[in-house]
Every structure is written in C-alpha cells, then in structure tokens.
Amino acid sequence: MRFYGFAVAVGAIALGACAGGESKPADTTHVAVDTTAAATTITTGTSTTTSGAGTMAPITGKTHEVKMVGDAKGYRFEPANVTVKQGDGIKFVVVSGGPHNVAFDPATIPADVKGQLDANMGTDKMGELSSNMKMNAGESVTVSFGNIKPGQYPYHCVPHLALNMKGVITVQ
C-alpha cells in the first residue's frame, strides 16, 4: 500500500509541475501518506503475541534455501514446494534469469496471518507481501516463518507468474 501511496504522490507532483506553459507559481501541494502500521496484541493465558504489521519475528529454527531459476527449461523455484516448521526461515537465492522476487497473493493469506507474514519479509519490499526485485545471481530474499500459524501459503515471482513460477510453502 505504501508503494501505491508513493506512486499517487509522485503523479500528483508531476501533474502539478506541468503548468502548460502558463506563468503560474509552481504547485506546492503535498500529499500525506500514512505509513504507520497497526498491530494487534493477543493475550492468551500467560503469553502475549503481536500480530498485524509490526515486528519481524526472528528465525529460530532452520533456514531452508530455495533457488530462483530462469533458463532454457523455464522459470521456476527449486524446490517449488517447501515444508517448514514455525520459526524456520527460507532464503530465496537468484541463480539465473532475473529479475525475480518473492510474493504472496494477499487474497490467499488468512487475515490473521497477513500482517505478521508481511513484517517477516523485512523492509526490502516493493509492496504488501512482495519483496523487491533481485537482479543478479547471488542476491537473495529471506523470509521468516516465526509466529506464522500452520497452513499452506502459495507464493510466486511477480514478473514470471504468467510463466508458472510459483510454489507452496507448508508451515507445520
């Protein structure tokens, strides 16, 4: 959402700068975008957890590696389907055929998981549940599955989704 707000602000500024050859003073309109994230605190018994867009949960288990590949065989994640435990992480590494990224369709992610998963992707993002593009071999995106409830989470590469570059992460 922040990306879209930024795009709207840039568009408004660009349109304001086009005075059409008239000698009007420059448009100094500013667009405010709310970049704060709401978080929900849930207390059950003696433990308190925070969900919603807030703090990234650390990787407390194993870090699995998934390769992002684009070659003569096509575009794919290797392996595409991964099973992890709560607290594990996945490091997605560009091997070839970039740009690549890792994205989750917000419509497929349960509402009570969306904010935490988004936070667990870190700050190097191009939008909600979508990492920035990685261009070169060796670049990577690491996603934590700390505080993510068990379930299946489909993911994909935005520029290669039409080429079937997608997979499913199963959290146990």
Side-chain angles (χ1 to χ4, degrees), residues 45-126:
T46 58
S47 65
T48 301
T49 59
T50 300
S51 64
T55 306
M56 179 178 184
I59 296 170
T60 57
K62 179 180 179 183
T63 298
H64 306 263
E65 185 173 291
V66 172
K67 296 176 179 153
M68 297 185 282
V69 181
D71 59 18
K73 294 179 186 176
Y75 290 87
R76 63 199 176 278
F77 292 101
E78 290 182 348
N81 300 324
V82 183
T83 299
V84 301
K85 293 185 167 105
Q86 281 184 315
D88 283 357
I90 300 178
K91 182 177 183 179
F92 296 88
V93 181
V94 175
V95 173
S96 60
H100 296 296
N101 81 331
V102 177
F104 297 88
D105 180 353
T108 67
I109 305 300
D112 61 339
V113 174
K114 195 179 297 184
Q116 184 66 61
L117 183 58
D118 189 54
N120 286 0
M121 294 184 76
T123 58
D124 186 25
K125 298 186 302 188
M126 68 177 190

Side-chain angles (χ1 to χ4, degrees), residues 2-170:
R2 285 184 260 170
F3 174 77
Y4 295 116
F6 177 73
V8 169
V10 169
I13 292 169
L15 287 174
C18 296
E22 300 172 21
S23 57
K24 293 181 187 176
D27 184 358
T28 57
T29 304
H30 291 43
V31 177
V33 178
D34 182 9
T35 59
T36 59
T40 304
T41 302
I42 302 166
T43 304
T44 54
T46 58
S47 65
T48 301
T49 59
T50 300
S51 64
T55 306
M56 179 178 184
I59 296 170
T60 57
K62 179 180 179 183
T63 298
H64 306 263
E65 185 173 291
V66 172
K67 296 176 179 153
M68 297 185 282
V69 181
D71 59 18
K73 294 179 186 176
Y75 290 87
R76 63 199 176 278
F77 292 101
E78 290 182 348
N81 300 324
V82 183
T83 299
V84 301
K85 293 185 167 105
Q86 281 184 315
D88 283 357
I90 300 178
K91 182 177 183 179
F92 296 88
V93 181
V94 175
V95 173
S96 60
H100 296 296
N101 81 331
V102 177
F104 297 88
D105 180 353
T108 67
I109 305 300
D112 61 339
V113 174
K114 195 179 297 184
Q116 184 66 61
L117 183 58
D118 189 54
N120 286 0
M121 294 184 76
T123 58
D124 186 25
K125 298 186 302 188
M126 68 177 190
E128 180 185 38
L129 296 170
S130 183
S131 75
N132 268 336
M133 297 293 166
K134 301 301 175 190
M135 309 296 252
N136 304 307
E139 291 183 318
S140 65
V141 174
T142 301
V143 179
S144 167
F145 287 87
N147 293 337
I148 301 298
K149 73 179 185 178
Q152 292 192 326
Y153 301 94
Y155 69 100
H156 60 274
C157 173
V158 171
H160 302 119
L161 179 58
L163 299 172
N164 207 31
M165 187 171 176
K166 57 187 176 178
V168 176
I169 297 165
T170 301

